[in-house]
Amino acid sequence: MSETRVNLLDFDRAGLRAWFARIGEKPFRADQVMKWIHHHHVTDFAQMTDLGRGLRGKLQDLAEVKPPAVLLDRQSSDGTRKWLLGTDSRNAIETVYIPEPARGTLCVSSQVGCGLNCRFCSTATQGFNRNLDAGEIIGQVWVAARALGNVLHQRRRITNVVMMGMGEPLLNFENVVRAMDVMRDDLGFGLASKRVTLSTAGLVPMIDRLGEVSDVSLAVSLHAPNDELRTELVPLNRKYPIDQLLAACARYAARKPRSSITFEYTLMDGVNDHAEHARQLVGLMRRLPAKVNLIPFNPFPGTRYRRSPPDAIAAFQQILMQAGVMALVRRTRGEDIDAACGQLKGQVLDRTRRAAEFRKRIEESVSHAA
Ligand code: SAH
């Protein structure tokens, strides 16, 4: 057995075919293996019964199917489910499943921690540790699909994937794009492009690059209707101010007929929830095909922000709607298990007290497995 076996979860279809070519196998063999992995959740090559014995042996020597380890699997009273997944011995990430009557959304992380330092986001307090590799990103979908008993074309539990977990996906471009390719591939998770959404804090050049290689849905974390306030809340705004950001969004939307960009706007009491903010937002949203997703702020320990009261949220929404701007209030889900927007932390290195708890959990899970 070789020490450096490749993790087949890291490959999209083209990559897997190329790897099969390198080991002297035909491309259709790669396709068969991809189906075993993603449709049937099989990790043991011995169970891939339509492959010849020789190939199965070769795969056992050279490769593995290694999803992230499930350290914790929690279910909220509202049905939301959150997995804490170990990516290596020191780090973990979080993945959240949000079931609704007509759909099931999986919220996937792209980095361990985040370096953008948005003031109102709990992930920011953890700092940045590293990019996830493609296998760790697609592995989150894989773990959730297996746990939920997702069956392609029959019992689809995951109908949508949003790259809205920990991290800034456009700062981990190659791996995120590759993982999204597997999400959309019929031999992978077979989701339509519009059902895969990438959310960004607004990296303008990377939005253009994304438009060149992908047609997934785009969501942008706006959170403020003017540069002064946005720079305070989302420091990245200093580099890519609102005008430039909206222009990039308009270019992205123009590539796809009938598509619009979703703008996320987290409502914080007395910070960005005044009527004047709503009116300014209307002005911005008129520039391109847009919808607004209003997110009631989710508190976390140590934050100085508070959630806007329900009447302020309703008034804000009404100003947008009356001006013809489509605006929905995102219902808060999974709060009791810290799974709501902006509450994902996972664990990053040993900077915090929580890291000690986390190490204990890893040790426990290792001793359980042993
Ligand atoms: N970095 C990407 C992906 C994260 S998406 C991005 O910024 O878009 C997570 C969404 O939840 C973002 O819109 C983020 O701004 C929002 N969010 C962060 N902290 C929040 C909080 N405490 N309450 C509500 N929403 C929050």
Side-chain angles (χ1 to χ4, degrees):
M1 207 194 297
S2 140
E3 274 298 304
T4 52
R5 288 188 294 170
V6 294
N7 184 2
L8 299 189
L9 281 177
D10 274 323
F11 291 123
D12 60 11
R13 191 196 298 211
L16 196 61
R17 285 179 172 181
W19 185 79
F20 268 66
R22 280 205 296 285
I23 64 163
E25 297 290 338
K26 298 237 161 44
F28 82 95
R29 294 293 180 196
D31 296 1
Q32 284 175 307
V33 169
M34 207 164 156
K35 272 201 203 169
W36 279 113
I37 297 173
H38 297 294
H39 294 188
H40 304 294
H41 310 127
V42 168
T43 56
D44 179 359
F45 297 115
Q47 287 173 27
M48 301 187 180
T49 46
D50 57 0
L51 307 180
R53 187 176 303 221
L55 175 55
R56 281 185 261 163
K58 198 156 145 187
L59 290 173
Q60 263 153 3
D61 284 344
L62 300 173
E64 60 186 346
V65 181
K66 190 164 177 271
V70 177
L71 300 177
L72 218 60
D73 176 350
R74 296 181 71 190
Q75 188 135 5
S76 156
S77 52
D78 67 17
T80 302
R81 196 158 160 185
K82 180 170 90 167
W83 293 271
L84 181 71
L85 301 176
T87 46
D88 50 60
S89 61
R90 283 151 68 91
N91 293 306
I93 48 161
E94 293 182 324
T95 307
V96 178
Y97 177 68
I98 306 140
E100 286 171 291
R103 62 178 179 182
T105 304
L106 192 72
C107 180
V108 167
S109 295
S110 58
Q111 299 181 314
V112 183
C114 186
L116 290 184
N117 217 9
C118 298
R119 293 284 174 255
F120 54 94
C121 180
S122 122
T123 306
T125 64
Q126 292 284 319
F128 172 72
N129 183 256
R130 69 170 174 86
N131 279 333
L132 294 178
D133 58 39
E136 290 168 332
I137 300 169
I138 204 65
Q140 296 170 63
V141 186
W142 192 93
V143 164
R146 185 185 53 177
L148 295 164
N150 195 62
V151 183
L152 206 75
H153 306 308
Q154 290 168 37
R155 186 164 174 270
R156 208 190 244 302
R157 304 288 307 276
I158 300 171
T159 63
N160 295 66
V161 175
V162 294
M163 298 298 310
M164 293 189 188
M166 296 166 62
E168 169 49 52
L170 290 185
L171 286 176
N172 185 11
F173 192 84
E174 305 291 339
N175 292 337
V176 165
V177 166
R178 200 187 310 160
M180 293 193 307
D181 284 346
V182 178
M183 293 171 203
R184 296 180 299 139
D185 190 330
D186 281 340
L187 299 180
F189 293 93
L191 296 173
S193 287
K194 65 174 183 203
R195 292 182 176 276
V196 175
T197 301
L198 181 145
S199 179
T200 177
L203 281 125
V204 166
M206 304 311 277
I207 291 175
D208 286 321
R209 241 182 101 192
L210 183 69
E212 284 159 18
V213 299
S214 190
D215 63 348
V216 295
S217 297
L218 183 67
V220 172
S221 294
L222 192 61
H223 307 304
N226 59 65
D227 281 322
E228 194 189 346
L229 183 56
R230 188 162 193 269
T231 297
E232 186 185 318
L233 297 173
V234 182
L236 182 69
N237 191 68
R238 191 166 290 128
K239 195 156 184 196
Y240 304 115
I242 292 176
D243 265 347
Q244 287 182 31
L245 176 57
L246 294 188
C249 291
R251 290 193 291 275
Y252 192 90
R255 289 172 177 270
K256 284 205 295 177
R258 290 183 302 282
S259 72
S260 63
I261 308 291
T262 301
F263 289 90
E264 293 150 287
Y265 195 106
T266 298
L267 285 161
M268 291 166 260
D269 189 17
V271 174
N272 63 353
D273 63 349
H274 300 153
E276 178 52 26
H277 294 129
R279 285 190 288 270
Q280 287 178 12
L281 186 56
V282 167
L284 299 180
M285 297 295 95
R286 289 216 167 113
R287 295 195 206 164
L288 72 172
K291 331 186 257 239
V292 176
N293 219 326
L294 298 171
I295 314 173
F297 173 71
N298 292 307
F300 54 89
T303 182
R304 64 179 139 120
Y305 298 110
R306 281 164 316 191
R307 177 177 297 181
S308 303
D311 54 338
I313 296 176
F316 199 97
Q317 180 186 25
Q318 211 183 2
I319 293 173
L320 294 172
M321 296 292 275
Q322 275 175 353
V325 176
M326 178 60 179
L328 294 174
V329 179
R330 195 183 285 171
R331 210 150 53 88
T332 296
R333 300 286 302 268
E335 241 184 323
D336 53 339
I337 55 168
D338 285 344
C341 305
Q343 291 186 321
L344 302 190
K345 281 176 98 159
Q347 298 294 334
V348 180
L349 289 172
D350 4 14
R351 276 188 211 137
T352 61
R353 194 160 43 81
R354 278 177 54 153
E357 292 166 31
F358 167 63
R359 274 198 303 277
K360 211 173 92 204
R361 257 182 233 140
I362 290 190
E363 279 153 22
E364 279 165 10
S365 79
V366 171
S367 63
H368 283 162

